[in-house]
C-alpha cells in the first residue's frame, strides 16, 4: 500500500493589482448555526471585507455537530457560493487535530482553488491546527493571520484559564498544574499537547489579540511577541440614535448573556441576596436579567430558578433576547453588569454596552478590567466577591449621579470599520514564514 | 581455584607414562561437560595440564599451574552443533609443545608449552576418559579403555601379560578373571560375557537387555557403568545401568544381569545393541556380545521378566530400575497421596520449557521431614531433586490453611523450580516423591496452559525476587529456562507487512527506526515535529510491535499522512517481540547510510539535529555511536550518557546508570562526551556497523540493557560511544517504571541484567572524559 502525490498548490496570483486582495476567513463555526462571539466576529469581518472594493473574500467554517457534510466529502456549501463549511468527523479536541484522513487533502485543494493572499483564522478549533500547515503547503505565498478569541491553546479547560473543578483563577499553565486539573492526563501529555499546538501556531505570520491581556497570556505561553497586534473585534454600526438615561428611580443594572457560573450568575445572585437583606438607604436598585440558562446543566438551571424566585424583590428575570435587541434593551438600563469569574478576553457585551453608551460594572480582572477603566467607563469591583459587588451596587443606588457622570465621559465603541483598516494595514506589512 | 582443589574424592587418580610423540584420546562425557569437570595431569603439586570445557564460549580451555600460579589460557573450539553429548579430542605430546584436535571442532598447536614426558599423575572423574588409541593408525576414539588404578605400571607397559595378571589379581573381579578371554591387546584387561535377550522400551528409556557374564561386578546400588555400545546409534549417552541376579542355570559359571541401555531413538526405528563394552572400574572392562541364541522380545514381556528378576536381584541398580519401570507405567494415579503421609507437595502450574523440562510453581509442606526428594519425571527419566534448582516463595495462604493443623508453618513454603528430566520426549510430566523411609509415590501434574510470551510473563510475574540471592536464582533456576522461552518466542522470523505513505527518498541518508508499543498516538506528534525539521533526505520507519492494534495504527497512519503530508514507512509485526527485536526488524528494512534507533517519545528540538549528529560521525571515525542530550519535559536531564555501575542490593550486578539524570543540564563543558554506552532511546550509527553487530541482541527481553550491550560490542571493535551535548531532544520517558507496581517488569529487568552480567563484558572505565 502506498499513498503518494504532490499537494495541489495555488499558482502565484497573475497580477496582484492594487486592491486586488484575496482573503479567506476561517471560523470554527458558522454563525447560521452558532451565535458565539468568535464566529460572529469572524463573519462580521468577512462581510465587511466583501463590502470593500478590490477585496475578494471567502468564509470557511467548521461544521461542528449541527451540520453534516454529504457522504464522502468534507467541504460543502449550504450557505451560498462564497461560503464553505468543512465537516471534520472524528475531530480530536485534545490536540485540536483533524483525524479524517482526507480532510487535509480537501482543505489543501480548497485553498489551492481560491488562491488567497491572506488566510485569516478566527479559530482553529473544529478545523485542526494542522490546517495552518495545509494552508502553507497549498499556498506557500499566502500570509496566515490569526485572531485569538480565548485561551484554548493554553488551557484545555475550554480555554478559560480557571481550574477544574473549583473554577479558581489560573494565571499560567505548567504541565504539572494542568495535570492537576485533569488527573486523567499526565504531565507529559500536557507537555506534548503544548508542543503539538505550538508546532503549528508557529506557522502563523501574525496574531491579532482583541485585548492586551490575552496577547500577554499567549506571549508568556511561548508565542513570539513581535508577531502580536492588539486590535478590537469591532462592532457593526447600529445607526440608532443615542437614548438618554432614564431617571434613576430605581437605578437599573442589566445583566446580558448566558446564565453560567463563569459569567458570574452565582455571584450575581449572592450579591442580590445580600442587597435584599440590607437594601440601599435613600435609593432603590433593580437588577434586570436578559438571557437564559438553556445551555446549562439541569441542576444549575433549577438552582438559578429557585434563587431568582427568592430574590425577586431585587432581581427581575426577562428571559432570552435576540442579539439585534441588545443595544435597545441595554438602553433601558443605567449600567450593564459583567460579573464574570474568569478572565474574559474582550466580551462582546462590553462592546455592546459602549455602543449603547451605558457604563459597565465589571470584575477587576483580565479583559474586563482592560476594556473598562474604573471610574471612566464604568466601575470595578473585586472579582469573585459578592460582598464587594453588593457594596458597589448599594453605593451606586444611594448616589446614582455617579453613574450618570460616568456615562457622559465614557469611551465610544470601536467600529468594525476602524478594525478593518487596522487589519488591512497588518496584511500589507507581514513578513512571510516558511512552513 | 587452587590446584589442590582439583583433586577431590570424586576423581580417579592414576599414574600414566607419557612418551614424546604419543597420542592420547580424551573423552568428556555429557555429564563432564555439563558439570564443568576437568582432567588434570599432576607432578607433585604442579598441574602440568588442566583441561576443562567452557560452555559459554563452547570451547575447551587448556592451562597449567606451576608453583601455584596459573598460566594464560589456551582455548580450542568445541563442536558447534548438537547439545551436550560427549566430545572427544586428541592430544599429541610433541618434543616442542602440544597439539590438540577436537573431533568436529578446532585444532591448535601450542609451541614451547605443555612439553610433557615421563610419569605424571592423571586425575579426573569417571566421566572423563583418557586413553591411547589401540593402533597408531586408528583414528577412532575409544571412549572407555581400562586404565589400571593400582597397577605398578603405566599404559606403556600394558602389553606385558604378566602385568595383566597382576592387575587382574588386584582387581575386585580378580577371582574370576582367569575365566575371561582377553579380548584386547590394549591397555588394561577385559572380561567377556553374552547378551541373551533384548527389547526396546521407549517408556523405560531404552533397551532392556538380559545376559550373563563370568564375574560378579563391583557395582553399587546406583548400578551405573560407563559403556561403549555398538553400533553407536543403539545408545544415547555413555552409561548403562545394570542389575545382577542369581540364575540357576548358570550358577556354576557366572552371574546373570539385566541392562538398561539408554536410547531415546524417537525418529528412526531403533537399532539393537550388538556389542557392549562395560567399564567396570579403572582396570576392568567387560565386553558383552550376542550369544548364539540371542533373541528379540516384546516390550511388555520383557518388562514382566524384569519385574520378576527385580524380586530376586541383589546387586546393582535394583531400586532405580524398579522405579524406572514404575514411572514408565505411570497411569496418572496419585500414588503419593495413597501413601498417606503428613507431607504435602502440590504443583499449581507447569510451564513447559522444552520436552522433558519445565518450570514448576508449587508449594511443599513437610513438617516432619519425611520427604527425601521430589523429582520431575518424563516417562522413566527423572530430573535432579527439585531443591537443587528451586527458590522458595512466600505463601501466606498455606500458612493460613495449615497453621491450626501443624502449629508453626514456614512462611516460604512456596517454590519455583527448574526441573529437567533430560529426555527429549513429549510424554506427560509428573512428580516422583521419595520418602526418607525408602517409599516412593508418583503424582500427576496439572496441564500446562501457557506458552510463549504468556509463559514468560507468568514466570516473571510470579514472585518478587530477593535482591541478595539473584545469582543463585538466575544461575540455577530462572536464567536458562527464561532465556530458552524467550528464544522460542522469537524463533519464527518477524516477516513484517509494510505500508508506505508518501514519496520516500530513493537513497536515504538516515533511516530512523522507531518501534511503537502502547502509546501509538506518539507517532502523529513525532511526525508533526519531524515535518518541521530538515529531514527530507531521511526515511522514517515505524515498527508496530503490538499486532492487536494493527488496524488502529494503519488508520492513524493514514490520518497523520493526510494531515501532515510527511512521508514515512510502517512495518507491522505479526507478533509482539520487544524493543530490540522490533528495532532489528526495522534495521532489516532500512535503506539509509545511517540508522537512528529512536523511541517514539523522543522529540528533537532543533531543525538540524540530525545533520549535526551525522556530522559527528562523519568527522570522527573512532566514534561508532552518537546520541543527543535527552531532556525530560521539565527540561532536566534524562540522558547525557550511560555508565555501568554495580548495584550492591542487586547482588552487585552491573546496571546502566544515567549520570546527571534529573539535574539541570550543565551550562559549559565539552560538546562531545564519551561514555561506555548511550541510550537506545536515541542512537545513531552507520547502518553497516549496526548490521555487522547484528543489531540488538534478542536475548534481552522486552527492552532493557540491549543498548548497553550493543555499545559494548561496538567498543569491542574499538569504537567509541559519544553524546553530543549540543543536540537536544525531549524524552517523555515513562515515569511509572520506579513505581514497582508490577513484579514482572522488574523481574524482566533482572533477567536482562543477569544476561548482561553473564556476558562477561570486559571491564571498562566508568567515568566520562571529554573529547
Amino acid at each position: 500500500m502506498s499513498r503518494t502525490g504532490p499537494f495541489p498548490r495555488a499558482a502565484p496570483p497573475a497580477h496582484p493589482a492594487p486592491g486586488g486582495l484575496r482573503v479567506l476567513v476561517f471560523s470554527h463555526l458558522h454563525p447560521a448555526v452558532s451565535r458565539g462571539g468568535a464566529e460572529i466576529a469572524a463573519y462580521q469581518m468577512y462581510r465587511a471585507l466583501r463590502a470593500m472594493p478590490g477585496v475578494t473574500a471567502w468564509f470557511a467554517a467548521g461544521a461542528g455537530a449541527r451540520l453534516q457534510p454529504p457522504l464522502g466529502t468534507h467541504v460543502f456549501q449550504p450557505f451560498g457560493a462564497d461560503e464553505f463549511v468543512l465537516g471534520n468527523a472524528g475531530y480530536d479536541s485534545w490536540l485540536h487535530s483533524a483525524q479524517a484522513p482526507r480532510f487535509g487533502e480537501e482543505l489543501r485543494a480548497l485553498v489551492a482553488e481560491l488562491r488567497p493572499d491572506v488566510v485569516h483564522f478566527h479559530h482553529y478549533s473544529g478545523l485542526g491546527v494542522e490546517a495552518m500547515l495545509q494552508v502553507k503547503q497549498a499556498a506557500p505565498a499566502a500570509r496566515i493571520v490569526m485572531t485569538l478569541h480565548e485561551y484554548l491553546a493554553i488551557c484545555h479547560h475550554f480555554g478559560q484559564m480557571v481550574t477544574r473543578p473549583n473554577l479558581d483563577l489560573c494565571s499560567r499553565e505548567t504541565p504539572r498544574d494542568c495535570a492537576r486539573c485533569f488527573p486523567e492526563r499526565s504531565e507529559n501529555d500536557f507537555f506534548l499537547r503544548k508542543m503539538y499546538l505550538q508546532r503549528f501556531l508557529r506557522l502563523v505570520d501574525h496574531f491579532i489579540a482583541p485585548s492586551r491581556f490575552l496577547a500577554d497570556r499567549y506571549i508568556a505561553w511561548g508565542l513570539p511577541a513581535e508577531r502580536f497586534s492588539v486590535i478590537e473585534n469591532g462592532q457593526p454600526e447600529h445607526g440608532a440614535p443615542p437614548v438618554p438615561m432614564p431617571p434613576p428611580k430605581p437605578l437599573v443594572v442589566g445583566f446580558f448573556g448566558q446564565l453560567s457560573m463563569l459569567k458570574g450568575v452565582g455571584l450575581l445572585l449572592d450579591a442580590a441576596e445580600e442587597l435584599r437583606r440590607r437594601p440601599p438607604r435613600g435609593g432603590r436598585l433593580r437588577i434586570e436579567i436578559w438571557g437564559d440558562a438553556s445551555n446549562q446543566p439541569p441542576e444549575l438551571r433549577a438552582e438559578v430558578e429557585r434563587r431568582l424566585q427568592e430574590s425577586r424583590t431585587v432581581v427581575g428575570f426577562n428571559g432570552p433576547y435576540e442579539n439585534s435587541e441588545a443595544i435597545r434593551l441595554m438602553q433601558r438600563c443605567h449600567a450593564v453588569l459583567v460579573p464574570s469569574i474568569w478572565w474574559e478576553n474582550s466580551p462582546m457585551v462590553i462592546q455592546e454596552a459602549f455602543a449603547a453608551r451605558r457604563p459597565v460594572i465589571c470584575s477587576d480582572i483580565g479583559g474586563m478590567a482592560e476594556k473598562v477603566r474604573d471610574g471612566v467607563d464604568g466601575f470595578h469591583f473585586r472579582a469573585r466577591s459578592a460582598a464587594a459587588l453588593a457594596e458597589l451596587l448599594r453605593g451606586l443606588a444611594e448616589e446614582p449621579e455617579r453613574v450618570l457622570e460616568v456615562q457622559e465621559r465614557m469611551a465610544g465603541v470601536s467600529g468594525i470599520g476602524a478594525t478593518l483598516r487596522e487589519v488591512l494595514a497588518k496584511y500589507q506589512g507581514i513578513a512571510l514564514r516558511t512552513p | 581455584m587452587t590446584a589442590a582443589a582439583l583433586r577431590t574424592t570424586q576423581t580417579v587418580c592414576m599414574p600414566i607414562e607419557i612418551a614424546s610423540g604419543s597420542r592420547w584420546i580424551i573423552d568428556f562425557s555429557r555429564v563432564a561437560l555439563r558439570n564443568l569437570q576437568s582432567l588434570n595431569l599432576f607432578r607433585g603439586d604442579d598441574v602440568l595440564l588442566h583441561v576443562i570445557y567452557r560452555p559459554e564460549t563452547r570451547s575447551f580451555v587448556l592451562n597449567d599451574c606451576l608453583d601455584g600460579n596459573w598460566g594464560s589460557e589456551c582455548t580450542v573450539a568445541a563442536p558447534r552443533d548438537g547439545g551436550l553429548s560427549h566430545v572427544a579430542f586428541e592430544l599429541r605430546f610433541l618434543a616442542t609443545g602440544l597439539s590438540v584436535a577436537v573431533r568436529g571442532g578446532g585444532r591448535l598447536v601450542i609451541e614451547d608449552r605443555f612439553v610433557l614426558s615421563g610419569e605424571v599423575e592423571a586425575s579426573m572423574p569417571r566421566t572423563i576418559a583418557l586413553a591411547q588409541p589401540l593402533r597408531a593408525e586408528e583414528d577412532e576414539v575409544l571412549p572407555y579403555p581400562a586404565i589400571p588404578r593400582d597397577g605398578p605400571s603405566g599404559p606403556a607397559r600394558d602389553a606385558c601379560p604378566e602385568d595383566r595378571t597382576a592387575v587382574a589379581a588386584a582387581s575386585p573381579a580378580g577371582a574370576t578373571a582367569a575365566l575371561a578371554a582377553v579380548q584386547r591387546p590394549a591397555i588394561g584387561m577385559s572380561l567377556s560375557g553374552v547378551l541373551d535377550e533384548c527389547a526396546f522400551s521407549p517408556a523405560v528409556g531404552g533397551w532392556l537387555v538380559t545376559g550373563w557374564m563370568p564375574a560378579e561386578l563391583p557395582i553399587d546400588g546406583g548400578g551405573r557403568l560407563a559403556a561403549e555400545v555398538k553400533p553407536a546409534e543403539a545408545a544415547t549417552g555413555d552409561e548403562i545401568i545394570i542389575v545382577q541376579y542369581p540364575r540357576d542355570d548358570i550358577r556354576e559359571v557366572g552371574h546373570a544381569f539385566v541392562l538398561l541401555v539408554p536410547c531415546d531413538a524417537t525418529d528412526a526405528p531403533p537399532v539393537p545393541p550388538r556389542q557392549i563394552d562395560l567399564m567396570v572400574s579403572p582396570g576392568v572392562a567387560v565386553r558383552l556380545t550376542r550369544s548364539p541364541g540371542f533373541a528379540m522380545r516384546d516390550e511388555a514381556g520383557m518388562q514382566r521378566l524384569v519385574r520378576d528378576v527385580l524380586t530376586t536381584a541383589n546387586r546393582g541398580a535394583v531400586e532405580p530400575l524398579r522405579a524406572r519401570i514404575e514411572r514408565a507405567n505411570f497411569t496418572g494415579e496419585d500414588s503419593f497421596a495413597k501413601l498417606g503421609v503428613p507431607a504435602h507437595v502440590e504443583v499449581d502450574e507447569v510451564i513447559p520449557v522444552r520436552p522433558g523440562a519445565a518450570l514448576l510453581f508449587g508449594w511443599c509442606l513437610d513438617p516432619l521431614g519425611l520427604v527425601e526428594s521430589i523429582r520431575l519425571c518424563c516417562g522413566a527419566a527423572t530430573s535432579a531433586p527439585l531443591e537443587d534448582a528451586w527458590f522458595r516463595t512466600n505463601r501466606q495462604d498455606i500458612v493460613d490453611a495449615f497453621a491450626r493443623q501443624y502449629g508453626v508453618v514456614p512462611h516460604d513454603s512456596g517454590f519455583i523450580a527448574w526441573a529437567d528430566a533430560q529426555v527429549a520426549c513429549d510424554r506427560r510430566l509428573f512428580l516422583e516423591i521419595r520418602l526418607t523411609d525408602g517409599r516412593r509415590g508418583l503424582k500427576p501434574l496439572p496441564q500446562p496452559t501457557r506458552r510463549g510470551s504468556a509463559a514468560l510473563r507468568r514466570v516473571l510475574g510470579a514472585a518478587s525476587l530477593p535482591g541478595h540471592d539473584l545469582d543463585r536464582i538466575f544461575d540455577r533456576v530462572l536464567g536458562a529456562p527464561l532465556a530458552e522461552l524467550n528464544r522460542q518466542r522469537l524463533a519464527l522470523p518477524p516477516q513484517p507487512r509494510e505500508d508506505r505513505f508518501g514519496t520516500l527518498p530513493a537513497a536515504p541518508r538516515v533511516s530512523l527506526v522507531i518501534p511503537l508499543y502502547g502509546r501509538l498516538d506518539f507517532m502523529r506528534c513525532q511526525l508533526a515535529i519531524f515535518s518541521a525539521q530538515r529531514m527530507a533526505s531521511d526515511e522514517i520507519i515505524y515498527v508496530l510491535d503490538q499486532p492487536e492494534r494493527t488496524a488502529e495504527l494503519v488508520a492513524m497512519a493514514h490520518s497523520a499522512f493526510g494531515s501532515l503530508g510527511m512521508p514515512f514507512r510502517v512495518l507491522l509485526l505479526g507478533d509482539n517481540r520487544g524493543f530490540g527485536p522490533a528495532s532489528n526488524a526495522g534495521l532489516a528494512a532500512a535503506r539509509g547510510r545511517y540508522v537512528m534507533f529512536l523511541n517514539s517519545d523522543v522529540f528533537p528540538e532543533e531543525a538540524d539535529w540530525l545533520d549535526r549528529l551525522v556530522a559527528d560521525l562523519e568527522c570522527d571515525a573512532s566514534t561508532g555511536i552518537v546520541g543527543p542530550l535527552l531532556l525530560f519535559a521539565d527540561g532536566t536531564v534524562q540522558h547525557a550518557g550511560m555508565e555501568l555501575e554495580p548495584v550492591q542490593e542487586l547482588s552487585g550486578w552491573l546496571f546502566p546508570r544515567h549520570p546527571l539524570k534529573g539535574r539541570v543540564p550543565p551550562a559549559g563543558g565539552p560538546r562531545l562526551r564519551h561514555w561506555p554506552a548511550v541510550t537506545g532511546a536515541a542512537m545513531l550509527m552507520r547502518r553497516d556497523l549496526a548490521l555487522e553487530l547484528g543489531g540488538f541482541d534478542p536475548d534481552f527481553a522486552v527492552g532493557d540493557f540491549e543498548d548497553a550491550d550493543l555499545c559494548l560490542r561496538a567498543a569491542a571493535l574499538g569504537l567509541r560511544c559519544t553524546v553530543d551535548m549540543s543536540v537536544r531532544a525531549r524524552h517523555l520517558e515513562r515515569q511509572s517504571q520506579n513505581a514497582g507496581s508490577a513484579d514482572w517488569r522488574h523481574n524482566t529487568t533482572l533477567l536482562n541484567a543477569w544476561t548482561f552480567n553473564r556476558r562477561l563484558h570486559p571491564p571498562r572505565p566508568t567515568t566520562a572524559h571529554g573529547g
Side-chain angles (χ1 to χ4, degrees):
Chain A
M1 200 306 319
S2 167
R3 277 179 63 181
T4 58
F7 303 127
R9 281 199 173 185
H15 38 82
L21 185 70
R22 303 165 69 84
V23 183
L24 171 58
V25 177
F26 274 108
S27 170
H28 67 305
L29 291 167
H30 196 288
V33 295
S34 169
R35 301 293 296 167
E39 51 269 33
I40 290 172
Y43 198 70
Q44 277 174 8
M45 174 175 284
Y46 156 68
R47 300 288 298 183
L49 283 166
R50 269 178 82 82
M52 295 184 71
V55 176
T56 312
W58 300 273
F59 187 72
R66 297 194 195 157
L67 294 169
Q68 288 288 325
L71 202 61
T73 187
H74 292 288
V75 178
F76 58 117
Q77 290 187 288
F79 303 116
D82 292 334
E83 300 186 14
F84 303 90
V85 176
L86 283 72
N88 203 347
Y91 182 76
D92 171 9
S93 54
W94 161 248
L95 288 182
H96 291 286
S97 169
Q99 299 296 299
R102 282 183 45 82
F103 180 84
E105 207 172 317
E106 291 201 23
L107 190 141
R108 281 187 283 259
L110 177 65
V111 171
E113 175 191 329
L114 300 180
R115 294 184 287 112
D117 303 308
V118 174
V119 177
H120 193 136
F121 282 91
H122 269 266
H123 222 304
Y124 45 80
S125 176
L127 304 167
V129 278
E130 304 92 350
M132 265 75 80
L133 177 63
Q134 290 151 7
V135 166
K136 289 285 185 189
Q137 287 165 338
R143 271 71 169 159
I144 297 181
V145 176
M146 178 177 286
T147 298
L148 295 163
H149 285 278
E150 73 306 88
Y151 312 94
L152 191 61
I154 303 174
C155 176
H156 182 55
H157 192 194
F158 304 110
Q160 310 281 302
M161 292 188 78
V162 291
T163 63
R164 191 167 168 256
N166 293 337
L167 306 183
D168 293 329
L169 285 170
C170 166
S171 53
R172 67 186 290 260
E173 61 80 34
T174 68
R176 186 178 295 116
D177 291 335
C178 293
R180 258 185 224 136
C181 280
F182 293 87
E184 67 275 24
R185 302 275 186 182
S186 70
E187 292 179 34
N188 279 343
D189 288 336
F190 277 98
F191 176 85
L192 210 60
R193 178 182 181 275
K194 178 175 179 176
M195 190 181 68
Y196 192 79
L197 297 178
Q198 288 195 345
R199 182 261 175 273
F200 297 100
L201 290 176
R202 261 186 229 117
L203 297 171
V204 174
D205 298 294
H206 201 79
F207 291 100
I208 291 174
S211 70
R212 183 74 241 165
F213 181 83
L214 179 132
D216 290 343
R217 296 283 80 69
Y218 274 99
I219 291 164
W221 182 65
L223 297 185
E226 68 277 9
R227 287 190 218 170
F228 269 84
S229 298
V230 177
I231 302 174
E232 185 50 77
N233 282 325
Q235 285 292 306
E237 324 295 342
H238 58 89
V243 175
M245 289 283 238
K249 293 171 187 172
L251 183 74
V252 179
V253 174
F255 174 95
F256 294 82
Q258 277 287 317
L259 300 185
S260 74
M261 287 308 290
L262 285 169
K263 289 286 181 190
V265 67
L267 190 77
L268 185 153
L269 290 168
D270 288 347
E273 171 70 14
E274 174 82 19
L275 287 163
R276 188 175 64 82
R277 286 195 196 155
R278 207 156 66 77
R281 281 169 295 185
R284 282 173 56 223
L285 175 76
R286 287 287 295 169
I287 300 173
E288 294 296 337
I289 293 178
W290 281 272
D292 69 354
S294 57
N295 287 344
Q296 304 303 312
E299 318 83 73
L300 182 73
R301 275 159 59 183
E303 164 89 358
V304 166
E305 275 163 32
R306 184 180 62 74
R307 296 192 61 189
L308 279 172
Q309 191 61 27
E310 282 173 9
S311 305
R312 64 184 181 280
T313 54
V314 182
V315 183
F317 179 65
N318 305 286
Y321 65 101
E322 285 295 313
N323 267 63
S324 56
E325 301 178 287
I327 289 172
R328 194 171 51 78
L329 294 172
M330 284 177 178
Q331 286 170 339
R332 292 192 200 170
C333 311
H334 300 97
V336 172
L337 180 59
V338 185
S340 295
I341 63 168
W342 73 291
W343 305 104
E344 294 283 4
N345 165 28
S346 174
M348 200 158 70
V349 67
I350 291 181
Q351 296 301 313
E352 287 166 340
F354 284 5
R357 293 206 59 72
R358 289 297 178 267
V360 177
I361 297 167
C362 66
S363 309
D364 62 348
I365 53 169
M368 296 173 286
E370 179 185 328
K371 298 293 168 188
V372 178
R373 294 164 294 174
D374 191 19
V376 179
D377 307 311
F379 302 91
H380 290 180
F381 64 92
R382 194 152 69 77
R384 308 163 77 92
S385 166
L389 174 57
E391 183 64 32
L392 175 63
L393 291 176
R394 191 183 294 115
L396 293 175
E398 288 168 358
E399 300 175 78
E401 60 279 10
R402 289 168 60 198
V403 179
L404 304 181
E405 281 165 27
V406 161
Q407 196 248 356
E408 285 170 16
R409 59 173 186 264
M410 67 184 289
V413 69
S414 72
I416 184 79
T419 297
L420 214 54
R421 277 189 299 280
E422 278 191 76
V423 168
L424 283 171
K426 288 295 163 199
Y427 287 173
Q428 312 298 331
I430 294 165
L432 186 67
R433 321 266 159 213
T434 49
Chain B
M1 177 190 286
T2 65
L6 297 172
R7 287 184 172 119
T8 70
T9 54
Q10 305 298 315
T11 57
V12 176
C13 296
M14 73 198 74
I16 60 170
E17 183 82 19
I18 294 176
S20 182
S22 62
R23 293 168 67 212
W24 291 76
I25 304 296
I26 302 179
D27 190 278
F28 276 67
S29 69
R30 186 170 57 170
V31 174
L33 295 171
R34 191 179 317 114
N35 295 336
L36 307 185
Q37 293 168 338
S38 63
L39 173 134
N40 298 281
L41 301 183
F42 283 95
R43 185 172 284 149
D45 287 336
D46 285 343
V47 184
L48 302 181
L49 180 63
H50 167 73
V51 184
I52 191 165
Y53 177 65
R54 178 132 327 147
E56 64 271 24
T57 56
R58 269 191 176 257
S59 61
F60 285 93
V61 170
L62 286 75
N63 205 342
D64 53 15
C65 181
L66 308 174
D67 300 318
N69 298 316
W70 285 98
S72 60
E73 293 183 348
C74 303
T75 58
V76 55
R80 299 296 300 178
D81 55 333
L84 286 170
S85 68
H86 78 100
V87 177
F89 59 99
E90 182 196 278
L91 297 179
R92 189 185 288 263
F93 292 98
L94 310 169
T96 58
L98 179 65
S99 113
V100 188
V102 178
R103 174 160 307 175
R107 287 171 180 273
L108 183 67
V109 177
I110 306 161
E111 299 280 1
D112 298 317
R113 196 165 162 205
F114 305 117
V115 181
L116 270 66
S117 64
E119 186 175 300
V120 298
E121 185 192 0
S123 167
M124 61 218 161
R126 269 194 349 162
T127 48
I128 299 174
L130 173 67
Q132 284 188 289
L134 291 184
R135 293 177 298 279
E137 71 279 9
E138 183 178 295
D139 197 31
E140 184 186 0
V141 169
L142 268 193
Y144 302 104
I147 299 172
R149 180 212 288 265
D150 304 315
S153 61
R157 298 166 59 187
D158 276 347
C160 166
E162 292 82 356
D163 286 344
R164 257 200 319 276
T165 311
V167 171
S171 75
T176 52
L179 294 168
V182 175
Q183 299 287 316
R184 298 185 185 189
I187 46 180
M189 68 162 298
S190 301
L191 307 174
S192 67
V194 296
L195 307 172
D196 287 335
E197 288 185 319
C198 182
F200 187 60
S201 172
V204 177
W207 295 100
L208 289 168
V209 187
T210 60
W212 67 276
M213 67 177 83
E216 196 174 53
L217 295 178
I219 45 176
D220 60 18
R224 286 176 178 274
L225 291 177
E228 185 189 12
V229 178
K230 285 188 175 166
E233 58 268 34
T236 306
D238 36 35
E239 276 190 336
I240 55 96
I241 74 172
I242 181 167
V243 168
Q244 285 191 302
Y245 65 99
R247 207 171 97 191
D248 284 349
D249 58 329
I250 55 164
R251 195 187 310 151
E252 299 302 321
V253 289
H255 298 262
F257 60 78
V258 172
L259 298 183
L260 172 66
V261 179
C263 175
D264 57 12
T266 46
D267 304 333
V271 181
R274 188 178 71 236
Q275 172 186 309
I276 301 171
D277 287 345
L278 302 180
M279 180 181 163
V280 178
S281 64
V284 181
V286 180
R287 172 159 292 180
L288 307 174
T289 49
R290 290 181 181 175
S291 68
F294 177 82
M296 300 297 292
R297 283 194 71 148
D298 67 293
E299 180 187 357
M302 185 60 116
Q303 278 200 28
R304 271 197 306 279
L305 178 113
V306 173
R307 278 178 207 253
D308 286 350
V309 161
L310 290 174
T311 59
T312 57
N314 51 11
R315 298 179 62 82
V318 180
E319 278 309 309
L321 195 55
R322 200 197 312 274
R324 263 178 177 270
I325 288 173
E326 278 176 20
R327 292 195 297 267
N329 294 287
F330 177 62
T331 59
E333 180 192 42
D334 187 347
S335 62
F336 172 67
K338 281 186 145 181
L339 296 176
V341 292
H344 309 264
V345 176
E346 296 294 342
V347 170
D348 305 317
E349 180 157 6
V350 176
I351 303 277
V353 175
R354 57 172 179 255
L359 281 161
L360 307 177
F361 295 77
W363 57 277
C364 170
L365 189 56
D366 179 23
L368 303 182
L370 303 176
V371 174
E372 183 209 63
S373 70
I374 308 164
R375 289 161 202 265
L376 179 72
C377 309
C378 180
T382 66
S383 69
L386 294 193
E387 66 194 53
D388 287 4
W390 77 12
F391 64 93
R392 306 302 295 249
T393 57
N394 289 342
R395 286 293 292 259
Q396 187 59 41
D397 57 332
I398 304 303
V399 174
D400 295 344
F402 290 96
R404 280 185 58 190
Q405 190 176 347
Y406 293 121
V408 177
V409 174
H411 63 94
D412 61 346
S413 59
F415 65 78
I416 296 175
W418 164 229
D420 184 356
Q422 298 187 5
V423 58
C425 79
D426 289 323
R427 253 183 276 279
R428 63 193 296 183
L429 300 173
F430 54 96
L431 292 184
E432 180 194 72
I433 298 150
R434 299 183 195 170
L435 301 180
T436 48
D437 64 8
R439 288 186 293 166
R440 265 192 319 267
L442 304 182
K443 189 172 183 63
L445 289 175
Q447 283 291 321
T449 55
R450 288 183 177 88
R451 56 192 287 271
S453 300
L456 204 58
R457 193 175 267 245
R458 167 73 176 102
V459 178
L460 289 167
S464 116
L465 304 177
H468 62 273
D469 203 18
L470 296 178
D471 280 323
R472 199 188 73 84
I473 287 174
F474 278 94
D475 285 343
R476 304 198 51 180
V477 187
L478 293 182
L482 287 177
E484 187 144 342
L485 286 174
N486 190 49
R487 282 177 200 159
Q488 287 168 8
R489 184 177 75 83
L490 299 173
L492 289 175
Q495 292 176 326
R497 193 171 75 98
E498 177 171 351
D499 279 4
R500 291 186 175 210
F501 297 85
T503 308
L504 295 153
R509 173 183 63 165
V510 180
S511 295
L512 294 97
V513 171
I514 310 167
L516 288 169
Y517 182 89
R519 290 290 298 269
L520 308 188
D521 58 318
F522 286 151
M523 178 178 72
R524 170 184 274 266
C525 294
Q526 216 177 27
L527 285 169
I529 297 305
F530 291 158
S531 70
Q533 295 175 333
R534 287 225 301 265
M535 294 172 60
S537 57
D538 307 311
E539 68 170 355
I540 298 160
I541 305 174
Y542 283 101
V543 185
L544 178 66
D545 193 23
Q546 207 172 1
E548 70 277 15
R549 297 179 69 186
T550 297
E552 182 188 353
L553 183 82
V554 169
M556 290 169 100
H558 280 279
S559 167
F561 179 71
S563 282
L564 306 169
M566 179 86 184
F568 60 100
R569 304 166 66 184
V570 173
L571 296 185
L572 304 160
L573 299 185
D575 59 333
N576 168 238
R577 299 173 82 83
F579 175 80
S583 295
N584 290 349
L587 173 63
R591 302 173 302 140
R593 200 151 23 96
Y594 297 91
V595 62
M596 174 104 209
F597 293 113
L598 198 69
N599 283 8
S600 60
D601 56 355
V602 170
F603 302 92
E605 288 189 346
E606 298 99 354
D608 62 348
W609 70 284
L610 206 46
D611 299 348
R612 283 151 58 196
L613 291 178
V614 166
D616 288 336
L617 290 184
E618 284 177 348
C619 292
D620 177 10
S622 71
T623 293
I625 300 177
V626 65
L629 171 65
L630 298 178
L631 305 176
F632 286 118
D634 68 1
T636 59
V637 171
Q638 189 273 326
H639 164 269
M642 289 201 306
E643 58 189 15
L644 297 165
E645 187 181 71
V647 176
Q648 292 313 326
E649 65 271 27
L650 296 175
S651 292
W653 289 355
L654 291 175
F655 280 75
R657 200 179 79 85
H658 289 198
L660 290 177
K661 192 170 192 171
R663 305 294 300 272
V664 171
R671 181 174 68 87
L672 298 177
R673 300 193 187 196
H674 305 298
W675 295 92
V678 299
T679 179
M683 52 162 67
L684 179 75
M685 71 193 80
R686 291 194 328 271
R687 184 163 63 96
D688 57 8
L689 172 63
L691 290 170
E692 181 184 344
L693 295 171
F696 294 112
D697 187 327
D699 271 0
F700 294 98
V702 183
D704 274 320
F705 286 92
E706 69 285 273
D707 46 3
D709 174 79
L710 188 75
C711 289
L712 296 194
R713 287 189 284 125
L717 301 177
L719 295 168
R720 288 193 293 190
C721 296
T722 303
V723 171
D724 186 333
M725 299 290 282
S726 75
V727 180
R728 295 173 168 225
R730 299 296 173 131
H731 184 197
L732 309 185
E733 187 192 40
R734 56 188 184 273
Q735 306 288 314
S736 58
Q737 200 176 12
N738 299 329
S741 52
D743 278 335
W744 84 267
R745 192 66 190 82
H746 179 66
N747 291 343
T748 304
T749 300
L750 293 179
L751 169 64
N752 291 336
W754 175 78
T755 305
F756 181 79
N757 280 270
R758 291 297 177 268
R759 289 281 149 90
L760 297 177
H761 288 294
R764 55 196 60 248
T766 57
T767 50
H769 49 93

